[in-house]
Amino acid sequence: MKKLLLATTGVISIALLLICTTGCLKDSCSNNYKISTPIYQSLTQLRAGIKSSAAQPLQNTGKIYVYGNYIFLNEVNRGIHVIDNSNPAAPRNFSFINIPGNVDIAVQGNFMYADCYSDIVVLDISSATNVQPVKFLNNALPENNSFWGTSTNPDSVQVIAGYHVRDTTVDCATSDRWKNNMGNLMMDAGGRPSIASAASASPVKSGQGGSMARFTIANNFMYGVTGSRLYAFNIANAAEPQKTNSINLGWGIETIYPFQNKLFIGSTTGMFIYDITNPSSPVAQGSFSHAKFCDPVIADGQYAYVTLRSSTDASLRCPGTNNELNVVDITNVFSPRLFKTYGMTNPHGLSKDGNTLFICDGKDGFKVFDATNPSNIFLTKTFSGMVAYDVITLGGIAIVVAQDGLYQYDYTNTGNIKLLSKITIENK
């Protein structure tokens, strides 16, 4: 998934579209580039724009969350599409919530919790066409970026609200230096290149996220993971979340999935199980290790289902070559063990309803498996022609996010699964 690179004031990111025109004569040489320079706002100004607006086209979609008759679909780093799914055969994209820096969401009752860069914003969604922020948790997820610095005042924090693009021509010596540092090149405020590193009440109804989620809700607590930590927030008073815990998990943390009184946390090197009998203080129980791969996980009681995928994208930190489904026996949560492995193409998100297992297998599409016997899981149906990313199953409807659209399937009869609808994603 794409991530927005943030920078402090005076340091800006640079996008180089290499060599539109190159001229190399005996005594001169130059290359042309497009350089993006940021437009800054104070964090207070940026927050003032967080609210509902007219529906926008789906373009660079990310994670999905279902609550009641609504689908909330992330537009990476920009906000959330609100889709009325009262009729899954005719879903209606009817509004957009502008939240810069947003990737993850969770919902309970009339409140949505969304990341906004390293902050968490609490939004009142009692009116789906007039969503408003009611609370900001400043720098609640500090690993997500570093724009806060040492400040505690949002008026003095500067963030990137957009970019101004201009053409420039540089000599070949400068061009070669830029090319050698592609992907890690910054410019200072004067336009000079420099090298820098990139940085209790009764339970209320909550929604359901996909297996790629980093936010989840259980027992009046919201749990969020960053690349290295697990955070717990008490949301018994939904409009006033209170952070109760921050736990170091190591590195490469990717996903979180709740089941009964457990949290199953996926990382690039394994799966961790945390007990939340005391919801404010998760306690580590067992873990299952694997080679370095991207790793979402779900569970159903006796077994956890883990998809491992490789990637050539170094930013995903999934350099392995295996693509597979691991079935892990979690009967003893203190000592999970590998039960069975099944080959896949490039598996991403997954979901399970009863004995039916659903897997988004990348370019091989959306796949349905009979998992009645975990030692003999077999494929029953493939929906090809899409690059499938994540799936949520709920009440006989499978909601699938793919590269080209949001699909919904009726699987009440698993022998005759039917496509109900598709909202097309308009590629930029």
Side-chain angles (χ1 to χ4, degrees):
M1 182 172 293
K2 299 178 182 176
K3 293 185 178 179
L4 177 65
L5 179 63
L6 299 176
T8 55
T9 304
V11 180
I12 64 177
S13 60
I14 177 172
L16 302 179
L17 302 180
L18 181 58
I19 310 180
C20 297
T21 304
T22 300
C24 290
L25 303 177
K26 181 176 180 179
D27 296 317
S28 66
C29 173
S30 63
N31 289 322
N32 293 341
Y33 295 89
K34 290 186 181 296
I35 294 182
S36 298
T37 56
I39 302 167
Y40 286 101
Q41 281 186 340
S42 73
L43 186 55
T44 299
Q45 291 173 313
L46 181 141
R47 287 174 171 179
I50 296 179
K51 58 186 176 181
S52 293
S53 63
Q56 297 185 17
L58 280 59
Q59 293 184 323
N60 182 26
T61 55
K63 300 178 187 181
I64 186 173
Y65 198 91
V66 176
Y67 180 74
N69 288 326
Y70 294 105
I71 296 174
F72 298 104
L73 180 60
N74 166 249
E75 184 78 18
V76 179
N77 287 317
R78 290 187 54 231
I80 301 165
H81 300 281
V82 183
I83 298 169
D84 181 352
N85 201 41
S86 302
N87 179 5
R92 184 170 63 95
N93 179 18
F94 76 94
S95 70
F96 184 78
I97 309 170
N98 178 56
I99 310 177
N102 173 252
V103 176
D104 277 283
I105 59 174
V107 176
Q108 180 162 286
N110 289 327
F111 294 92
M112 172 185 288
Y113 307 91
D115 60 339
C116 176
Y117 304 124
S118 64
D119 304 333
I120 291 178
V121 54
V122 184
L123 300 122
D124 183 341
I125 60 169
S126 54
S127 172
T129 58
N130 187 29
V131 173
Q132 297 286 340
V134 296
K135 178 77 173 181
F136 291 95
L137 303 184
N138 295 342
N139 210 22
L141 308 168
E143 294 80 25
N144 281 3
N145 63 68
S146 59
F147 66 72
W148 273 92
T150 59
S151 176
T152 59
N153 180 3
D155 287 337
S156 63
V157 175
Q158 296 291 304
V159 293
I160 298 172
Y163 288 88
H164 173 71
V165 180
R166 64 182 175 86
D167 294 322
T168 192
T169 300
V170 298
D171 60 63
C172 281
T174 301
S175 173
D176 289 342
R177 187 167 71 253
W178 286 6
K179 284 188 290 183
N180 289 338
N181 292 286
M182 193 72 73
N184 198 31
L185 186 62
M186 306 285 195
M187 291 183 67
D188 65 19
R192 297 172 294 272
S194 63
I195 304 303
S197 296
S200 167
S202 299
V204 180
K205 182 180 178 183
S206 57
Q208 181 175 335
S211 63
M212 308 291 281
R214 284 178 175 256
F215 283 6
T216 195
I217 290 176
N219 303 323
N220 277 335
F221 272 75
M222 191 194 81
Y223 300 96
V225 292
T226 62
S228 61
R229 302 192 73 86
L230 167 65
Y231 292 92
F233 300 87
N234 187 331
I235 57 172
N237 181 350
E240 293 284 342
Q242 300 295 318
K243 184 188 290 187
T244 65
N245 220 320
S246 172
I247 299 170
N248 182 23
L249 299 175
W251 61 275
I253 305 303
E254 296 181 309
T255 62
I256 187 169
Y257 182 86
F259 183 76
Q260 296 177 345
N261 66 336
K262 302 284 190 292
L263 296 175
F264 292 82
I265 297 171
S267 79
T268 56
T269 57
M271 174 191 73
F272 304 99
I273 303 174
Y274 274 75
D275 181 83
I276 51 172
T277 302
N278 179 356
S280 66
S281 299
V283 176
Q285 291 190 317
S287 63
F288 167 72
S289 298
H290 55 65
K292 195 174 181 183
F293 297 95
C294 288
D295 165 14
V297 55
I298 62 172
D300 68 358
Q302 184 178 352
Y303 298 98
Y305 299 83
V306 183
T307 57
L308 308 183
R309 74 182 186 277
S310 62
S311 174
T312 56
D313 184 346
S315 68
L316 292 177
R317 300 167 297 179
C318 317
T321 57
N322 292 356
N323 289 276
E324 60 194 33
L325 168 70
N326 283 348
V327 181
V328 180
D329 187 337
I330 55 172
T331 305
N332 181 354
V333 295
F334 295 97
S335 184
R337 64 179 183 87
L338 180 62
F339 180 74
K340 188 72 181 284
T341 297
Y342 298 89
M344 297 283 160
T345 298
N346 193 231
H348 288 63
L350 69 165
S351 185
K352 190 170 183 285
D353 186 356
N355 291 324
T356 306
L357 178 66
F358 304 83
I359 297 178
C360 294
D361 203 9
K363 66 181 181 181
D364 260 14
F366 174 53
K367 295 181 177 179
V368 184
F369 297 83
D370 186 320
T372 304
N373 181 358
S375 65
N376 184 32
I377 295 175
F378 59 90
L379 180 68
T380 60
K381 182 71 175 178
T382 298
F383 295 90
S384 57
M386 69 172 82
V387 180
Y389 172 69
D390 203 5
V391 55
I392 292 176
T393 54
L394 194 66
I397 304 296
I399 304 171
V400 180
V401 181
Q403 191 177 71
D404 67 329
L406 178 70
Y407 295 78
Q408 295 194 67
Y409 297 90
D410 181 342
Y411 66 90
T412 50
N413 178 358
T414 55
N416 185 27
I417 299 176
K418 299 177 181 178
L419 175 65
L420 292 175
S421 61
K422 176 188 176 183
I423 300 178
T424 299
I425 293 173
E426 303 177 13
N427 293 325
K428 292 182 180 180

